Amino acid sequence: MKELVRHIMVDFTQMKSFSDDPLIWAEGDGIWLTDVDGNRYIDGLSGTFCLSLGHNNKKLIQAGSRQLARLAMATPTMGTSDQALKLVELILKILPPDYTTMKLLSGGSEAVEGAIKMARQYHRQSGVPTKYKVLSHYRGFHGATGFAVSATGWPLWKVPYEPFPTGFVHLPTPDSYRPLFGGDTLDEIGERYAKWVEEVIELEGPSTIAAFITEPILMSAGTVVPPTSYLRRIREICDKYDIVLIFDEIITGFGRVGAMFAAELLDVWPDILVVGKGISGGYTGLSAVILKDKFAQTFWGEPEDNVHFYSGHTYGGNPVACAIGIATIEQMLDGRIAANARDRGEQARARLRLLQSKLPSIGDVRGLGLLVGIEFVRDPATRERFPADMNIGIKVREEARKRGLLVRASHWMAVLAPPLTTTEAEMDDILDRFEGALSHVLEPAGARAGVAAART
Ligand code: PLP
């Protein structure tokens, strides 16, 4: 089977190095994955931040199998299904009442595309067709398709595919570990970033700006938790300038951050909420764009009014996906899974913070719920990063893998995001393995950096 690996492209990964040392999984159970050779790994990343209820969850499997036998396809160009309607009812019930309308889709990027299109169409149908620009953050990630990648803010994922459409304006990442505009308190740091946003809006021309899209916690930006003051001000600014605020909760939604939605935790609600990944427990492709009534109303009219949403995807709101979505959310309704995500995240951050005194190259430990990020620094005092070619994070990821733990990493960060059902003992196990990998890489790297720093 391994000879076939050279014929497959996996995401964001060089084919040659992948085929030299491939991960080929065969089975999963709880937090565990087993590869075709029988090696076991802890899925420290929940698939890609989606497998919230763990592998081999019997209720999800039964819900999917039952629905496969009942009805596997209901074309969204002509109708919907009982499962889609049940899912919509369930989700709208857990949201504040001003959310009234959902567009079901099958992947995160599709949903981001939909949200951006809806924001533009909303303005056009409300008599302000000049509003088309989309604000987003540098270092954010919103998906791999046209508008979604245009809103994304990392050159790595964009430069090979440039040029992109005009009208996408990027703002500084609201990062409080490296505050670009300074500030003594978190509130002040947030206010200063928000001031810049308002300045950009004024300079771009408020009558040209349709939407502001952000993840409430910016995972790809480095698990950045923006100061609450920032998101509160962004909400006010969007209201002031009639800009549709879109939260991309594709990672943060459905319990990941220790509450059903990050918006709930931060008490800042967007006009359009975009969800994916955890909505189906990661068992199948499902996503949604959820609109507040004021925005949904502009799409309501007679056929000749031509105000409907001119877009859709074949597998959007597929009945099997919706049945799995219902079974996922039903398991989360009593709040225990989100509470566990909060507690396990705190357990991880507390232990990693203790480790900082032994391994000062762990510059920052952050995140919310079971999104746990650590940032590596060459010098904790100045927060200077290690040179990119030292690949510190990548080495940590490789060492973790040798110890049977899969984590996310870039050269300056590593992220843990195991299933929300992870137990306290399992988290201890994860942290033992992670600590082993961190010590192995950071002790010598930190020592070398110390020597280099003393010489310069
Ligand atoms: N938005 C965020 C924040 C994501 O992390 C991702 C994927 O990782 C997407 C959008 C795109 O979702 P998908 O890969 O399902 O298209």
Side-chain angles (χ1 to χ4, degrees), residues 48 107-109 112 141-143 215 248 250-251 277:
T48 317
S109 305
V112 168
F141 180 75
H142 295 292
E215 297 164 81
D248 173 346
I250 289 167
I251 287 185
K277 294 191 188 273

Side-chain angles (χ1 to χ4, degrees), residues 277-299:
K277 294 191 188 273
I279 185 177
S280 65
Y283 276 52
T284 186
L286 182 63
S287 62
V289 185
I290 311 174
L291 291 98
K292 279 192 173 167
D293 200 46
K294 172 182 164 190
F295 301 89
Q297 282 303 323
T298 48
F299 294 86

Side-chain angles (χ1 to χ4, degrees), residues 330-400:
E330 280 175 346
Q331 288 179 71
M332 304 196 70
L333 281 179
D334 67 12
R336 276 189 295 181
I337 287 173
N340 186 60
R342 181 196 61 212
D343 295 347
R344 298 289 72 77
E346 284 315 310
Q347 180 186 348
R349 276 181 290 276
R351 183 154 155 201
L352 291 167
R353 284 187 181 128
L354 281 179
L355 195 60
Q356 279 183 293
S357 55
K358 184 175 145 214
L359 298 173
S361 302
I362 301 176
D364 197 27
V365 178
R366 54 185 181 248
L368 274 179
L370 268 177
L371 262 186
V372 181
I374 60 176
E375 179 165 347
F376 306 115
V377 288
R378 188 176 189 251
D379 180 346
T382 62
R383 302 184 177 181
E384 180 200 351
R385 290 200 182 122
F386 285 102
D389 62 5
M390 281 182 76
N391 275 321
I392 293 296
I394 306 300
K395 287 179 184 154
V396 168
R397 183 184 70 196
E398 293 316 311
E399 282 302 319

